[in-house]
């Protein structure tokens, strides 16, 4: 499974309109992929809209990225967004494809989007450790997807769902105290380039 995570930086007060524009853009007959999440940042860098789309093949992802690249109005927000960043990803190979909450039972409404830089040679080690350690960690709160970037510096992004910000803090503390998380030896393969955003669903987000 392949994914695109796009980040739109917006003027204050325009998130609702931008989300409606994104829904129209991604549901157009010419569009590829499936809209999975459309969230706005609540903790982290503010005034950002985060759009997650899924694709069944790399060719489908690349075709949609080319459509966006050539569009005069990307995501329907060309004249609205102050910046647009698009990142292409491939899921860790053992992860099931992410589907909207109506099919998977995954519920937020709080989503944490974390990105870690990976040291040279560390991607396979990271994927192997996550495959071993993620099942008990996901029993506490679901990891929607872990995926590595296809362009740019070596890094991976993981997205988690929580019922509340307080629940996130409690569960993360419990996982560390119980030795469930992080994977033993995993941090040794990471760089200091780490980012986290707490995001909430817009009205058009399939993942609520």
């Amino acid at each position: 499974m392949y994914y695109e995570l796009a980040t739109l930086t917006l003027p204050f007060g325009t998130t609702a309109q931008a989300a409606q524009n994104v829904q129209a853009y991604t549901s157009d007959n010419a569009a590829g992929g499936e809209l999975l999440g459309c969230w706005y940042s609540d903790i982290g860098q503010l005034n950002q809209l985060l759009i997650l789309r899924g694709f069944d093949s790399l060719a489908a992802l690349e075709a949609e990225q080319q459509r966006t690249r050539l569009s005069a109005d990307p995501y329907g927000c060309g004249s609205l967004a102050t910046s647009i960043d698009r990142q292409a990803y491939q899921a860790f190979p053992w992860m099931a494809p992410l589907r909207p909450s109506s099919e998977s039972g995954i519920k937020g409404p709080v989503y944490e989007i974390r990105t870690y830089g990976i040291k040279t040679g560390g991607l396979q080690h990271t994927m192997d450790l996550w495959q071993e350690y993620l099942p008990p960690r996901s029993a506490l709160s679901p990891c929607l997807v872990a995926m590595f970037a296809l362009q740019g510096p070596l890094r991976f992004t993981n997205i988690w769902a929580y019922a509340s910000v307080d629940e996130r803090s409690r569960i993360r503390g419990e996982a560390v105290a119980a030795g469930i998380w992080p994977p033993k030896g995993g941090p040794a393969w990471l760089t200091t380039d780490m980012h986290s955003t707490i995001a909430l669903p817009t009205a058009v987000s399939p993942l609520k």
Side-chain angles (χ1 to χ4, degrees), residues 45-118:
Q45 185 172 342
L46 300 180
N47 299 314
Q48 290 191 328
L49 193 68
L50 300 106
I51 306 156
L52 181 68
R53 290 192 285 174
F55 300 84
D56 291 329
S57 69
L58 180 58
L61 169 59
E62 290 176 339
E64 180 61 11
Q65 289 208 311
Q66 180 70 350
R67 182 178 85 99
T68 302
R69 194 176 293 118
L70 296 175
S71 174
D73 190 23
Y75 305 100
C77 297
S79 61
L80 188 61
T82 59
S83 69
I84 298 176
D85 177 68
R86 296 176 297 120
Q87 301 293 330
Y89 289 90
Q90 182 176 341
F92 286 8
W94 42 266
M95 291 205 80
L98 176 60
R99 294 296 182 226
S101 57
S102 59
E103 299 177 25
S104 65
I106 293 172
K107 303 286 185 182
V110 173
Y111 293 85
E112 183 174 22
I113 303 168
R114 300 176 70 89
T115 298
Y116 301 101
I118 304 176

Side-chain angles (χ1 to χ4, degrees), residues 6 27 34 42 47 81 91 95 102 117 128 146 150 161 176 178 192 194 203 205 207:
S27 62
E34 178 182 14
D42 187 58
N47 299 314
M95 291 205 80
S102 59
D128 291 344
L150 296 177
V176 172
T192 56
M194 301 179 180
S205 181
L207 283 168

Side-chain angles (χ1 to χ4, degrees), residues 3-196:
Y3 299 93
E4 179 192 72
L5 182 61
T7 303
L8 280 58
T9 303
L10 301 166
F12 181 76
T14 61
T15 298
Q17 182 59 61
Q20 293 294 329
N21 294 356
V22 166
Q23 183 182 48
Y25 182 84
T26 57
S27 62
D28 186 271
N29 289 335
E34 178 182 14
L35 179 64
L36 299 172
C38 183
W39 305 292
Y40 64 92
S41 57
D42 187 58
I43 301 175
Q45 185 172 342
L46 300 180
N47 299 314
Q48 290 191 328
L49 193 68
L50 300 106
I51 306 156
L52 181 68
R53 290 192 285 174
F55 300 84
D56 291 329
S57 69
L58 180 58
L61 169 59
E62 290 176 339
E64 180 61 11
Q65 289 208 311
Q66 180 70 350
R67 182 178 85 99
T68 302
R69 194 176 293 118
L70 296 175
S71 174
D73 190 23
Y75 305 100
C77 297
S79 61
L80 188 61
T82 59
S83 69
I84 298 176
D85 177 68
R86 296 176 297 120
Q87 301 293 330
Y89 289 90
Q90 182 176 341
F92 286 8
W94 42 266
M95 291 205 80
L98 176 60
R99 294 296 182 226
S101 57
S102 59
E103 299 177 25
S104 65
I106 293 172
K107 303 286 185 182
V110 173
Y111 293 85
E112 183 174 22
I113 303 168
R114 300 176 70 89
T115 298
Y116 301 101
I118 304 176
K119 294 178 180 177
T120 301
L123 178 57
Q124 188 63 57
H125 293 283
T126 298
M127 292 193 295
D128 291 344
L129 286 168
W130 273 59
Q131 186 174 17
E132 178 183 355
Y133 281 85
L134 190 59
R137 175 62 182 83
S138 289
L140 300 178
S141 60
C143 179
L144 278 62
V145 65
M147 52 192 183
F148 61 89
L150 296 177
Q151 302 116 3
L154 192 61
R155 65 200 185 281
F156 77 105
T157 293
N158 44 101
I159 303 176
W160 302 79
Y162 297 96
S164 68
V165 173
D166 287 344
E167 183 190 65
R168 169 195 172 271
S169 298
R170 177 182 61 80
I171 288 175
R172 287 180 58 83
E174 288 179 1
V176 172
I180 295 173
W181 203 256
K184 289 181 174 60
W189 293 103
L190 304 181
T191 72
T192 56
D193 184 16
M194 301 179 180
H195 307 277
S196 176

